Amino acid sequence: MIAALVLWWFGRDLNWGEVRVALARSDWRLIAAAVAVVSTTYLVRAYRWRALLAPLAHGVSLRELFAATTVGFGSVFLVGRAGEVVRPAFLPLREPKVRPGASFVTIAVERIYDMAAIVILFAANLVVFRAPGGDPSAYARVRTGGLVLLIAAAAGIGALVWFRRRAESVLGWLDERLARLPKFLQRAGQIVTGLLGELAGALRVLVDARELLLTIGWTALLWASIALANWLVYRAFGLPLGLSATVFVLGWSLVGSLVPTPGGAAGTFHLATAFGLMFLGVNENEAKAAAIVLHLVFFGPALFLGLYYFLRSDVSLARLRRLAGEETRADGEKEAERHRTGVENAEALAVDVRA
């Protein structure tokens, strides 16, 4: 409903004749190049995901990571942000080395990397960006906002590093508190502590210099490729946007893509992208034509590749339920082992005290 309303708003005053003219004048060779670049971003995401999984599952198949990535992004296009759970759920069904908990946790870490990259990229760009007709006081506020975003990103990363270094004591403190709760709350708490334990393992990449540089490198390559694909589409429509202006509009596009509508934020992505282009003085019809093509460029490859890998997979509800049961038993065994270790340590301490 929301997507239909936003799409109506997007096209209500649009001159579709001029849009068709803008599409006909566009350079489809540059658009094809943008599609090729976007297709490589799924491979880059797969490489980064394998690096993030390394502390929890070594030697994960790159092919299965690529398949899960394309299936996941294809699902986002079909059902909106709710489709994001498909990617971490699909991988354990294809790759037995990866537990569901590890898959979901590493996707959360991936989101942290992307959010940090976005904040740093756009906050730094806002400091130097100059839009046509802007006033100095507005740019001063923008620079202040950019600095605040950078500080917030640094504080968030620092908090994650702190958690990774003190994860054992934090989890021990949580276990002590959970022991005083009713049984049904203890079970829910054990699921949370289990995920936090997986998160602590995945966050090893933040304190290991080699793994940190590797994951940062893949993240930088990913966002450089995304910016390049945007620039190619804008150049295909003859829009003379430089790197800073492209990053500025990309920021608007990402804000629009946060709205959980089907079709990969259909409507909101188009409106936000077109608004960013029109803010830079682009004609409304050209801006909206470019937004339509840009949306198809970013989701089209994932839709076709994801459908291909999904149809070739043997995913079933029975396998999903069986996998969930195995994960539950594994979590129970892990919790029992931690409990036995705690009891043994307590008994050893009591012996030492009596001695």
Side-chain angles (χ1 to χ4, degrees):
M1 181 63 183
I2 295 176
L5 181 62
V6 176
L7 282 172
W8 171 82
W9 184 270
F10 175 80
R12 65 190 182 96
D13 295 326
L14 197 57
N15 187 327
W16 289 101
E18 292 189 15
V19 170
R20 284 193 293 270
V21 171
L23 290 171
R25 286 203 308 257
S26 62
D27 189 337
W28 289 94
R29 292 170 299 181
L30 291 177
I31 293 174
V35 170
V37 172
V38 168
S39 299
T40 64
T41 64
Y42 301 126
L43 183 60
V44 172
R45 288 182 184 276
Y47 271 110
R48 183 180 64 172
W49 197 2
R50 186 167 68 173
L52 292 172
L53 278 167
L56 304 173
H58 185 68
V60 179
S61 167
L62 183 64
R63 181 179 183 276
E64 301 303 340
L65 289 165
F66 181 79
T69 298
T70 56
V71 169
F73 277 90
S75 300
V76 170
F77 179 80
L78 293 175
V79 300
R81 286 296 170 186
E84 288 194 350
V85 301
V86 172
R87 181 156 60 118
F90 188 80
L91 179 63
L93 296 175
R94 303 255 307 188
E95 175 55 86
K97 294 180 181 178
V98 180
R99 288 159 49 87
S103 184
F104 278 91
V105 162
T106 48
I107 290 297
V109 176
E110 179 187 280
R111 285 289 174 264
I112 293 169
Y113 269 79
D114 284 336
M115 288 300 297
I118 291 168
V119 168
I120 292 171
L121 178 64
F122 299 117
N125 186 64
L126 285 174
V127 172
V128 301
F129 179 67
R130 294 291 182 270
D135 63 273
S137 61
Y139 283 123
R141 291 192 295 271
V142 167
R143 284 193 294 270
T144 301
L147 181 60
V148 170
L149 287 173
L150 286 171
I151 293 173
I157 295 171
L160 290 173
V161 173
W162 176 87
F163 171 71
R164 173 63 184 88
R165 294 185 183 280
R166 297 181 177 272
E168 187 174 348
S169 59
V170 170
L171 293 174
W173 181 85
L174 287 174
D175 284 339
E176 292 177 2
R177 299 302 183 275
L178 286 174
R180 305 171 188 172
L181 298 177
K183 291 293 185 182
F184 72 96
L185 290 179
Q186 287 184 23
R187 180 55 186 163
Q190 288 167 3
I191 294 174
V192 173
T193 55
L195 289 175
L196 287 175
E198 297 273 17
L199 177 61
L203 288 176
R204 195 186 78 182
V205 297
L206 296 180
V207 295
D208 184 287
R210 180 182 176 279
E211 293 176 351
L212 180 62
L213 288 175
L214 181 62
T215 50
I216 288 177
W218 286 123
T219 302
L221 179 59
L222 171 65
W223 285 99
S225 300
I226 291 173
L228 173 60
N230 278 261
W231 180 80
L232 286 170
V233 171
Y234 298 145
R235 295 302 299 174
F237 282 87
L239 305 180
L241 301 186
L243 175 61
S244 185
T246 298
V247 171
F248 174 79
V249 179
L250 178 56
W252 283 101
S253 301
L254 290 172
V255 170
S257 68
L258 294 176
V259 180
T261 60
T268 55
F269 175 92
H270 299 83
L271 272 178
T273 303
F275 180 85
L277 290 169
M278 289 188 289
F279 184 84
L280 300 180
V282 178
N283 173 272
E284 179 182 0
N285 294 309
E286 288 187 344
K288 290 186 175 181
I292 293 170
V293 171
L294 187 65
H295 186 261
L296 294 174
V297 164
F298 271 93
F299 283 100
L303 185 61
F304 285 106
L305 291 170
L307 183 62
Y308 168 79
Y309 282 113
F310 183 79
L311 292 176
R312 287 178 60 87
S313 69
D314 58 347
V315 174
S316 65
L317 291 177
R319 285 194 64 200
L320 185 59
R321 286 194 295 267
R322 184 168 65 252
L323 188 66
E326 292 171 358
E327 180 71 6
T328 301
R329 288 193 298 272
D331 286 341
E333 292 171 0
K334 184 187 295 185
E335 186 62 31
E337 178 62 28
R338 288 177 59 191
H339 179 71
R340 284 195 297 272
T341 302
V343 171
E344 291 170 359
N345 290 340
E347 292 175 347
L349 179 60
V351 171
D352 290 342
V353 171
R354 287 195 298 271

